[in-house]
Structure formats: structure tokens, C-alpha cells
Amino acid sequence: MNFTIDRDVLLEKLTIINHGLPSKTPMKVLECIKIEVTDQDVYLTSSNSDIAIEVLVKDSSLVIQEPGRTVVPGKLFIDLVKAFDSKKVTIFLIEDRSLMLKADRKEYMINIMDVSDYPNPKFGTLENPFSLPAFLVKQLIDETIFACSNINRSPMLLGVNFKLTSNVLKATSTNSYRLSQKIINIENYNDFEVTIPAKSLDELEKCLDSYDPKGNVDLYFTEGKLVFKFQNVMFLTNLLDGNFPDTSSIIPESNPITVRFNKDELLQALNRISILSPAEKVTDREISFNAIKLKIDKTNEVELSSANNQGAGKEIVVPTDININEPLVIGFSSKYLTEALKVIPSTEVELGFKNSMKQFTIKGIDYPSLVELVLPFRLDE
């Protein structure tokens, strides 16, 4: 194996490959990057227990002198390429025992592992894809992933559920105390339902950062897994096995109480009032309290308040519109509401309430494709 390539081109591909390297693993070979050189191309592969990434390296600067393959310690290889300041780098094997990196007057040798020990990710035959623009894939991830659970006792809640029915795709995440659902239209594709681990989607989004947002991402189902293909990258992820809870009945079509706010003004008020909110966490129930109280009285003023053992605070937030038939007092996590508001790309938002004990909705006034829920909890008066 022997090839020369522009250092910046190689580093760009390695940046993507890095997202497939495990942070910890009992299998040392998974800490490696597989390098496979054909007569015309170079393939880089990384893999862990959840995802596998393969990048095809094609560039005018690539000169292949000899094909071959090997596996090399991933972090070390990336760090060395990153540290080089040369325009070109030459990479070749020395008697199948070590890998040499040469750049100008620099030479570095890395011990390699047996390539036969490296697992062979099955990317499948890649048939019958459906395509989405990269920016829409990133939206689906951004607007749902934050609401996933992080407790292993509820494994299906560790991911985002994607369900296509009658050309309507719903991406839903929940940890049982909050929910986020993004809805988009998909034409001419068979119905399906899968749940993708949140940590896989997080790495996918990072891989898409350098990709043209208007470029297409093709999605393929293969042997119980899902492949995202874009540019010269194939991103393979496991799927969560089980039934995602039916959340359709908990999203109300309308609410008797609605209050509209300027989103930035509401966020600023939440940031201030949460400074004095109780911050205890009940980890077995996955509630991060940050408890605050919202109160609407006969004057239609909206009051936010909080208190802990160090002090108390309250402030009035002026709504842009309000529709209420009786006073409302409701307690909830400011953290949950803040995180919901941050992903809504709308200057004005609407909070919809049924009563003080039912989940309430958060929507963007000019962004109907996203709806979010937060479950309230009792507060001592």
C-alpha cells in the first residue's frame, strides 16, 4: 500500500471518520481506522457498536502507487495528519508491520494491527432509497434529539422515532416528561417506522456540518439497519428494537387557554427566573426540576416566579396575545421549556394550556411543522 494525497483533503475526510471512533471499547481494533487502497480510490472506515462510517476518497491530488489495506490507531493517525504543515503527505506500509507517513522532511512510523481482525460493516445493497435535503435532516435532528431520554431503563426512549404514514413523516422524541414532534411530507415512499438512537443522530449531524445543506441525503434500509449516504460518505446506524410508545393521543388539537410571547423576551425572562429555581434532580424519574411557576390572573398579566433556600424572584412578562377563560397557575421545569423554545425558528411562540395538571404545548406561530409538549408538576403554594 502506497499513496500520496493533499494533506487538507485527507484531513477533511478524517474529520468525518473520527465521528465513528469509539470513546471507550474493549475491542482495541475498533480504536483503529481501516485504510483500503484500490487501483483508483482510497476507502476509510471507522466503526463502533452503534455506527459505522465509510468515506470514499477521490481527489485530483490522489496518486496511488500500490494498492493494499491496513488498520491503524485512529486518534494517533488523525493527530499526526493534523499536525503536519506540508501540502502533501505520502502513506505506505513497511512489510505489513507498520505504517509510514512522510511529508517533506518529516517521517513518522505507526504500529499497525492485523486487518483481518477488523469487523466488516455491512452497508447492504443500497436499493430503494428516499432522499431528503441535508438541511432538513439536520432540522429533524436538531428539533427532536434534545427531548430523548438518557436513562437505559427505557431503551426505546433513547432515540427518535421516525414514522411514515400516507406520505406524512413524523419524527418524535420523548423522555415521558416532555415531547418534541417534527412533521414533514414525503412523497412516493412506502410506509415505515424505525427508532434511531439519539447518539447516532448526534454523530450524523456532525458529519453533515461540512456538507452542502442543499445537497441530498439518501436513506436506505438494510438488514435491520439504516444507511445515510451523502457526497462520498456512507453512515450506517443500528436501530432500536422494540415498540415506541403511541404518543398520538397526548398531543391536543387545540387548547382553551393560549398565550403568545415574543420568543426572545420569554427566553430572557426564563433565564433570569431560573437562577432562583430549585435545581434538585430526581434521576430515577428523569426530572430536572428547575421549578418555576407561571400565573395568569384576571388582569391577564403573566407572572413567572421561583424560589429556593437562598431567595425568591418574580417578574411580569407581557404577552403579545392572550386567550383565557379562567385564571391559571402551573408549575413546570424551566429547563424543559427553555430547551423547547431554543429549537423553534420563530420570533413569536404560543403556549397552549388545558389546565394546571395537563401537559401544555409550545409552537412557533409561523412554524407549524413542529409541536412540543412539557408535562407540569405540582408546586407547593
Side-chain angles (χ1 to χ4, degrees), residues 323-336:
N323 178 28
I324 186 169
N325 52 13
E326 60 183 26
L328 174 73
V329 179
I330 187 169
F332 54 87
S333 165
S334 63
K335 176 179 182 290
Y336 284 178

Side-chain angles (χ1 to χ4, degrees), residues 23 66 137 264 270 341:
S23 55
E66 183 180 354
V137 175
D264 289 342
L270 287 169
L341 291 171

